[in-house]
Amino acid sequence: MGKSNLEMKTSTITTKNKEDHSSLKGTLYFVLFVGSFILVSWFAVFFLYLSRI
Amino acid sequence: MRQSNVVIDYKYDNEPDISVDPRDGKLGMVHIHVAFVAFIIGVFGGLLQGLARGGMIQLPTWLGYYQILTAHGVLLALVFTTFIIYGFFFAGMSKTHGTFSSRLRKTGWVGFYIMLVGTLIATVLILLNEASVLYTFYVPLQGHWLFYAALALVIVGSWISAVALLTHYFKWKKANPDKPTPLFGFMTTATLILWMVAGLGVAATVLVQILPWALGLTSEVNVLLSRTLFWYFGHPLVYFWIMPAYMVWYLVVPKVIGGRLFSSSLARLAFVLFLLFSIPVGFHHQLMESGVTEFWKYVQTILTFVVVVPSLLTAFSIFATFEQTAREKGGKGVIGWIKTLPWGDVRFFAPFMGMIVFIPAGAGGIINASFQLNSVVHNTLWVVGHFHLTVGTTVLLTFFGMAYWLIPVLTGRRFTKHANRCGIVQTWLWVIGMFLMSGAMHILGLFGAPRRTAYATYGDHPQALQWFEGIFASHVTVAIGGVILTAAGVLMFYNFIHLAFLAPKGHTEFPMTPDPVDTPNTPAYLENWKLWIGIAVVLILFAYTIPIYEMIVNAPPGSPPFNFLIK
Ligand code: HEM
Ligand SMILES: [Cu+2]
């Protein structure tokens, strides 16, 4: 009885932890930021180019 | 399926910190000595250039701007990088693949001495103003023939050392036929194969075209062909710098933050892609050059954009490793977990700042490689700003971050708290100095300021005068940034002296991330070097055969030497 209780407890804790641990939300925002930075700087120079031809 | 990223594995936790055999350590360490001597001379060259260009000092008559510029480019971009990379490779291969046999170690010493002799001869000739041809040694500028012979020696020496390292790797592979090779060896091998294949181009132009011409045996030189062969080598050269830096990111930084790399296959794939796609792309440095048809420029531009992919893979891998590790250590929130990273540890902090700088650096690279945008920035100070971010900051800060532990490991000393503190200050100074210098260079470049020019107001042309007046977009800002960078450079040299000679004797950890859990499942084809070399050669032949054939058959008029232009 006691044993299975304990098991249950640890297993819920680990699932909870796991969900939090495996989140890559920060990485998602990071790559979105890198992508937009590339696009913005590329278009900035592209418009400079257009303004000079 | 999910695997822990934090090193909780018993086996790994108890893994003894195998130290590098002292005999191999000595071989690694001599490379680092040469690197830092070159570094400090190069840094003072940079300072003089920044001040001279900004009109803040006037160079003495016996010291030319282009003479210093050549020394600066050669010592920092070629000598510092190559030597510290080989030091890292010898140390790391000894640690991960076992002590070198005495025959291979001897081969490594032969390679080292040949590189050293070449470097010394080249440096002396530059200092004598006999080789002020800039670090790209573009013809038809002509330097002393001995300068080119010395460069050839450096290349040959590096090949000999590469053979020692590669033999060590393949011996391990043969002795362990069923196992995937350790990541360090895999990545070292990819980098060295790249270096050897790329070196063929520069060796060809130096030995077949430039040396006979500098010796007076031929009177004219095919400029277009020589530049093409140079850039066949010149672009992979930048990958030869960045791949070892990525090795620190993949293999050292995860260990320093107490985590583990999350995929072996992904890391190997990235390095294979670098090997395949970083050579057939040299034309992106020649987009504004006549004599190459737009079709071949287009083909190589496409291939250039392919080689962006492994860098993006790397950015993703590393950031994901940070996030997973931080979360397993209890980090919370979308971004709040970032607080759990070891900000006070320079072995992490310096490479991390290098990674951050790689965001604008990489974005700038994509701009450079886009044909129309290249016409905006080509040969302007923008380009100089760009590579001071890429090699001058991303790669250098990563190598500095590595030097803090590698030097004491190799000299049997302790990585002291003092060195760590100096390292954090050093990193900040370098980043701030570079922000000012490189930022101003980028903007000046967009306003048309050319690179590779001493102080000039172009007959007081209003546009040229503006380059000295802006608040940020000004040669003065470049010079101020240069002064801060020089302070940072001196501090780094002090750190080197401290760790190499003064720190107390003791043990320092060689932080090497254990191979990821998926290592045993690494697909065997990733280890098939014959296959990758074969594909690399096919791509090179595809991208270069027809254009080079045309350059030879329909050669432009040859050029006589010009050896007095910028002395
Ligand atoms: C103290 C730090 C540094 C300062 C103040 C500095 C400053 C400069 C300046 C003012 C120029 C030249 C501009 C021109 O006339 O085109 C230059 C060029 C250059 N720098 Fe630096 N730099 C520094 C560090 C570095 C580092 C660490 C590297 C590479 C690892 C590097 C590589 C180069 C190269 C390759 C050139 C181009 C040479 C050429 O055009 O032939 N610099 N630097
Ligand atoms: Cu390139």
Side-chain angles (χ1 to χ4, degrees), chain B residues 254-383:
Chain B
K255 171 81 174 186
V256 171
I257 66 171
R260 169 191 295 171
L261 189 62
F262 86 147
S263 168
S264 158
S265 306
L266 193 63
R268 283 172 214 255
L269 177 68
F271 270 63
V272 166
L273 291 177
F274 285 130
L275 173 59
L276 297 186
F277 291 100
S278 75
I279 304 179
V281 298
F283 283 159
H284 69 221
H285 292 267
Q286 298 173 278
L287 291 176
M288 294 299 118
E289 217 147 300
S290 52
V292 183
T293 59
E294 60 271 40
F295 175 76
W296 292 108
K297 287 177 179 170
Y298 181 74
V299 166
Q300 295 209 4
T301 298
I302 299 285
L303 292 170
T304 302
F305 280 87
V306 174
V307 81
V308 174
V309 172
S311 278
L312 295 175
L313 287 181
T314 302
F316 170 78
S317 285
I318 303 297
F319 210 81
T321 300
F322 289 165
E323 181 164 7
Q324 283 197 342
T325 309
R327 286 194 189 283
E328 298 209 9
K329 288 186 160 178
K332 290 272 172 328
V334 174
I335 264 303
W337 52 266
I338 220 158
K339 288 194 290 261
T340 39
L341 294 173
W343 296 103
D345 185 341
V346 72
R347 300 173 306 162
F348 163 74
F349 183 61
F352 181 86
M353 292 310 264
M355 294 171 195
I356 296 301
V357 168
F358 208 53
I359 299 170
I366 294 174
I367 290 169
N368 298 340
S370 308
F371 195 106
Q372 289 82 348
L373 310 202
N374 185 267
S375 68
V376 178
V377 301
H378 183 65
N379 268 348
T380 69
L381 268 183
W382 162 286
V383 176

Side-chain angles (χ1 to χ4, degrees), chain B residues 25-311:
Chain B
K26 202 169 155 212
L27 175 58
M29 192 60 208
V30 286
H31 289 88
I32 297 176
H33 281 286
V34 178
F36 275 99
V37 172
F39 172 75
I40 195 68
I41 306 175
V43 162
F44 281 104
L47 174 68
L48 292 178
Q49 285 153 213
L51 294 175
R53 267 197 84 125
M56 296 157 115
I57 59 163
Q58 217 174 355
L59 293 173
T61 44
W62 48 267
L63 194 60
Y65 183 82
Y66 301 99
Q67 185 185 0
I68 305 176
L69 190 55
T70 308
H72 177 77
V74 168
L75 289 174
L76 287 171
L78 304 180
V79 178
F80 174 80
T81 49
T82 306
F83 276 88
I84 200 162
I85 287 168
Y86 273 96
F88 178 46
F89 282 176
F90 276 112
M93 285 304 286
S94 174
K95 175 169 168 85
T96 54
H97 291 62
T99 305
F100 281 81
S101 72
S102 60
R103 218 186 83 238
L104 285 183
R105 192 180 311 109
K106 224 176 262 161
T107 315
W109 278 103
V110 171
F112 167 76
Y113 277 115
I114 295 181
M115 284 207 289
L116 180 63
V117 168
T119 301
L120 289 175
I121 297 176
T123 308
V124 167
L125 285 164
I126 294 169
L127 296 179
L128 292 175
N129 205 15
E130 287 293 335
S132 299
V133 291
L134 308 184
Y135 83 116
T136 41
F137 52 91
Y138 259 18
V139 294
L141 279 179
Q142 193 186 68
H144 197 285
W145 66 268
L146 201 49
F147 174 72
Y148 304 108
L151 292 180
L153 277 185
V154 175
I155 297 280
V156 170
S158 77
W159 283 349
I160 294 175
S161 295
V163 167
L165 289 159
L166 291 175
T167 312
H168 194 54
Y169 168 82
F170 282 105
K171 263 165 93 174
W172 191 99
K173 197 162 152 48
K174 210 167 165 193
N176 301 272
D178 315 319
K179 285 195 223 160
T181 52
L183 266 175
F184 191 96
F186 184 92
M187 294 176 160
T188 301
T189 302
T191 310
L192 288 175
I193 293 177
L194 173 82
W195 176 247
M196 296 179 85
V197 176
L200 294 173
V202 73
T205 183
V206 167
L207 296 178
V208 178
Q209 291 191 280
I210 304 181
L211 253 184
W213 172 73
L215 281 164
L217 303 174
T218 52
S219 55
E220 294 183 337
V221 66
N222 182 339
V223 172
L224 181 60
L225 178 63
S226 177
R227 290 182 175 196
T228 301
L229 289 171
F230 178 83
W231 284 115
Y232 163 92
F233 158 79
H235 187 77
L237 171 66
V238 313
Y239 280 88
F240 175 69
W241 301 330
I242 200 79
M243 285 161 78
Y246 284 172
M247 286 169 70
V248 175
W249 298 4
Y250 275 114
L251 302 178
V252 175
V253 171
K255 171 81 174 186
V256 171
I257 66 171
R260 169 191 295 171
L261 189 62
F262 86 147
S263 168
S264 158
S265 306
L266 193 63
R268 283 172 214 255
L269 177 68
F271 270 63
V272 166
L273 291 177
F274 285 130
L275 173 59
L276 297 186
F277 291 100
S278 75
I279 304 179
V281 298
F283 283 159
H284 69 221
H285 292 267
Q286 298 173 278
L287 291 176
M288 294 299 118
E289 217 147 300
S290 52
V292 183
T293 59
E294 60 271 40
F295 175 76
W296 292 108
K297 287 177 179 170
Y298 181 74
V299 166
Q300 295 209 4
T301 298
I302 299 285
L303 292 170
T304 302
F305 280 87
V306 174
V307 81
V308 174
V309 172
S311 278

Side-chain angles (χ1 to χ4, degrees), chain A residues 18 20-31 33-34 37-38 41-43 45-49 52, chain B residues 2 315-316 319-320 323-324 327-328 331-332 334 337 359-360 363 366-367 370 372-373 375-376 382 446-447:
Chain A
K18 258 184 194 168
D20 195 29
H21 286 179
S22 55
S23 156
L24 285 177
K25 262 214 177 108
T27 306
L28 175 67
Y29 287 116
F30 168 75
V31 295
F33 167 74
V34 171
F37 186 89
I38 292 174
S41 42
W42 195 91
F43 277 102
V45 180
F46 184 61
F47 285 118
L48 186 61
Y49 165 76
R52 286 179 181 175
Chain B
R2 222 192 125 268
F316 170 78
F319 210 81
E323 181 164 7
Q324 283 197 342
R327 286 194 189 283
E328 298 209 9
K332 290 272 172 328
V334 174
W337 52 266
I359 299 170
I366 294 174
I367 290 169
S370 308
Q372 289 82 348
L373 310 202
S375 68
V376 178
W382 162 286
L446 291 177
F447 288 141

Side-chain angles (χ1 to χ4, degrees), chain B residues 39 43 46-47 49-50 53 65 69 72-73 76-77 81 134-136 381 384 387-388 391-392 396 430 434 437 441 451-453 478 482 485-486:
Chain B
F39 172 75
V43 162
L47 174 68
Q49 285 153 213
R53 267 197 84 125
Y65 183 82
L69 190 55
H72 177 77
L76 287 171
T81 49
L134 308 184
Y135 83 116
T136 41
L381 268 183
V384 186
F387 60 67
H388 280 89
V391 62
L396 270 259
W430 194 273
M434 208 45 103
M437 184 175 95
M441 282 173 163
R451 69 182 284 203
R452 292 180 157 174
T453 44
V478 171
L485 276 168
T486 307

